[in-house]
Amino acid sequence: MQKLKPVVKEEKNIGITLRVTKTAFQEMKKEAGSLNMRVSEYLLELHKMYVNEIYKK
């Protein structure tokens, strides 16, 4: 696996599409709102935590 590079300013506008249930999206939205984040920022932080956890092992 290759190490992730920091996000470059030009790359910030690249998006992905996730297919989730309405209930799952509402839960993510609620959790992100409690952290004063948008859902996309929340998912990005979750991904960073996941990657950091993998590289710890």
Side-chain angles (χ1 to χ4, degrees):
M1 226 186 221
Q2 76 182 53
K3 287 196 174 189
L4 295 177
K5 299 176 200 164
V7 176
V8 179
K9 196 169 193 172
E10 302 94 43
E11 294 176 337
K12 286 187 178 182
N13 292 328
I14 296 172
I16 62 168
T17 302
L18 292 176
R19 295 184 76 144
V20 296
T21 63
K22 189 173 184 175
T23 307
F25 181 72
Q26 292 303 324
E27 286 296 318
M28 284 190 274
K29 195 172 178 180
K30 190 186 310 178
E31 185 70 27
S34 71
L35 298 169
N36 294 324
M37 302 172 107
R38 294 186 343 223
V39 174
S40 58
E41 294 168 334
Y42 171 71
L43 290 172
L44 183 62
E45 289 302 317
L46 277 180
H47 176 71
K48 285 179 188 176
M49 288 174 17
Y50 173 74
V51 168
N52 286 336
E53 198 62 35
I54 287 175
Y55 284 117
K56 273 186 188 177
K57 295 179 180 179

